[in-house]
Each structure stands twice: as C-alpha cells, then as structure tokens.
Amino acid sequence: MATAPAAARPAIDPLRNRRRAYRGISAGITLICVGAVLLLNTLGMVGWGVWFDLLKLWPLVLISIGVRWIFVNSRAHAFCLIGPALVALGTVWVVSSYDSAAEKGPAAISGGETIDVDCPAPAPGDTAHLDLEFAAGSLRLYSEKGPATVGAASSLVATGFHGTLLYSGREPRHTCGGSGSLHLGHDTWDDGVHIALPFGDWESRWEARLYTSSPVFLEMKLAASNAELDLRAFTLDRVEVDVAASRLELQLGQARGRVPVRIHGAVDDLRLVIPEGTCYTVSRERILSVLDIDDRVSKDRRWKHLTSDACASAAPDAPRYEIRYELPVSSVTIETEGRRT
C-alpha cells in the first residue's frame, strides 16, 4: 500500500533569518549596556549623572540602524555588527571617562545674560508660588534674605519674588502671576512635557538669586539635569518635585511648621541637606531605591516610614519636614548640615 508523500517543508529564507539575527544582536547589546550602567549606578561605582552624558549618544542608534539597512542584503552583511559595536564602545567610553567629581554641583557661569526678577506680592495670607521647569543643563538657585525697607517699616522685607537670573544658552521664559507667582522655564515645555530638539542646546546654565518674605510653595520639574537649590532663606510652605534622570541637591532651612516635601521620578541622584536637630519623617512608595541617612532614625518593620530621633523630644505639633518620595531605581541621601562627607 502506497504511503502519502510527506508534506514539503517551507523553504528557509536566509535573508529573513539574517535580519532577525542582527536585530536580536542589536537589541541584546543595547540591553546589556543599559543593564551594566544601571548595575554600576546601584553599586555606587558610577554616579547617576552619567545618564545625562549617555543621552547625548542617541545619534549612534540611528547610525546603527542605517548600517544594518545598508549591509543586511549584501554579501558583506557581517558589517551590520558595526552598529552594535559603536553603541557598546560609546557606552564604555562615556562611563570610563565620566568624572564623578562633576556631580558635586553645577559649574559656575562665565559671562552670560542677566534677567531682573520683580514679581508682585501675593494676597495677604497667601503663599508665593515658585514654578520652576528646567531640562538638559545645570541649575543653581539661591534663596537670599531681602533688603529691609527704611523708615517706620524697617523690620519688613519685600514680599513677592525679587532678584536676578544669570543664564547662558537658551533664554529662560520668565513670567509673574498676579497672585505672587513666578514661573521660570524653557520655551520647549508643553503641558509638563519637555521637547528636546535633536540639535538643540544641551548645555543651558542658570543661576538664580531670589528673595521673599512670603511663605513659598516650590513646584519643580527637572529632567536630565544637574541642579543645586539652596532654600535655607525661604520660609517653605510646601515642596513638590518631579525629577527624571537628574542629580538634585535640596538644602533646606529650619522648618517653620509642618512642611510636606513630595518627590516623584526615576533614575535620579537625590541629596537632601537638613539642619541638625530638625524633626523629619521619610515615607517611600517603592523599594527599588537606595536610601542613605547619616542621622539616627527609627523605622517601621517594612522600612517604608522613617522618623528622625529629633522628633522624639519634639511636641506632636512641632515644626517638621514630612518627606515622601517615589523614586524607583534611584539613590536618595539625607544629610545633616555640618556633617557632610
């Protein structure tokens, strides 16, 4: 009895297999590079600010894709490996040449332009709202004590925001609201999203010096930046920070009430400097972050809520900072002023 012929197997398409193989190699090398850098970050061997330099290498991805398109259909298809090799070599070069000392703070501005800031006072009893948006560069903000007025009101200082903004690179957008608000930001922010132009200026530098006697509500959006904010001269009412792929240092003064500090973001290096003897609590939403505190604290079983020992001797309604953060894949350090390493 004759048997039915076996079904013919479909012909193997070598070109299709080759394309799939090179796509897999490219994706695999990219993931290895990203994972290796993140591992170095979490081990503390390389600072998180290295991602700002790595983001500048994004054109290598386009070069890699272009090389693959050129050679994948040719006899010299092995040249497709040039693209992934460039990505790997670029990553190694940036990481090996990265200077962690640069993370100590933004570089000083040489030259540049100056903008005068003179915003009206808020309504009596209201806070002065500082809305700050910054991306791709270095930022310094110093709070200063305002000059006293003369005459019978010599004990008073100006309300509202006043001071100067020194900058280089793109000119900041500077607007004052009618209720004591000050907005500083790039023109390329749109509805909370920063649009980084492919060949735009990645080296914006701002240095702001502001003073006010009004309570301050600070709201900040920060992306791919190196920022240092000295807020010790402000009477803080609330702090809201949304930060991504950045290094940020917040230096706080004495709390004058219960001050909520809310921080959201990912892949960051955050440093909080708090005066010695200040009561503060720390709550965190995610576990995938490294927390380092140089002060004595008490914690709950799950390490989601920490309390400084200064709160033990403080009254229940005593001034304090209530810090709450959600920063996966980040490093968070809380230091006591005067005891920094």
Side-chain angles (χ1 to χ4, degrees), residues 119-317:
C119 290
D126 289 349
T127 60
H129 184 192
L130 176 56
D131 183 12
L132 179 61
E133 297 174 346
F134 186 82
S138 298
L139 166 68
R140 269 197 178 119
L141 187 149
Y142 299 99
S143 61
E144 298 184 337
K145 294 182 178 180
T149 59
V150 297
S154 59
S155 62
L156 300 178
V157 296
T159 55
F161 287 107
H162 310 275
T164 58
L165 173 61
L166 176 65
Y167 72 93
S168 64
R170 242 184 350 256
E171 181 176 358
R173 184 176 58 196
H174 155 228
T175 56
C176 292
S179 58
S181 63
L182 169 62
H183 175 84
L184 295 175
H186 290 300
D187 289 334
T188 50
W189 281 93
D190 184 19
D191 294 332
V193 177
H194 177 69
I195 304 171
L197 301 178
F199 304 101
D201 184 6
W202 281 77
E203 295 296 338
S204 294
R205 299 182 185 275
W206 296 2
E207 184 177 298
R209 296 182 179 272
L210 302 173
Y211 63 88
T212 180
S213 64
S214 305
V216 175
F217 170 26
L218 172 64
E219 186 174 11
M220 182 171 63
K221 300 180 182 70
L222 193 72
S225 301
N226 189 9
E228 181 180 297
L229 280 70
D230 185 346
L231 309 175
R232 289 176 293 178
F234 283 162
T235 301
L236 293 174
D237 180 74
R238 186 178 183 88
V239 178
E240 295 274 356
V241 178
D242 192 349
V243 58
S246 300
R247 177 199 172 273
L248 171 62
E249 178 176 311
L250 288 175
Q251 193 161 5
L252 306 176
Q254 292 290 343
R256 296 176 175 86
R258 289 181 175 264
V259 182
V261 180
R262 304 291 182 258
I263 307 170
H264 304 273
V267 194
D268 298 297
D269 182 4
L270 172 67
R271 190 181 304 269
L272 292 172
V273 183
I274 298 177
E276 189 171 3
T278 300
C279 173
Y280 63 86
T281 61
V282 182
S283 302
R284 53 182 178 176
E285 296 285 338
R286 301 284 177 88
I287 302 300
L288 294 178
S289 61
V290 178
L291 177 62
D292 183 17
I293 298 180
D294 70 355
D295 204 353
R296 295 184 60 185
V297 297
S298 59
K299 55 183 178 290
D300 61 11
R301 292 182 179 179
R302 298 183 178 180
W303 291 33
K304 290 187 176 182
H305 188 81
L306 308 178
T307 304
S308 68
D309 281 1
C311 296
S313 58
D317 57 347

Side-chain angles (χ1 to χ4, degrees), residues 316-333:
D317 57 347
R320 68 189 64 200
Y321 287 108
E322 298 174 339
I323 303 166
R324 187 179 185 88
Y325 72 87
E326 183 177 349
L327 293 167
V329 197
S330 299
S331 173
V332 180
T333 304

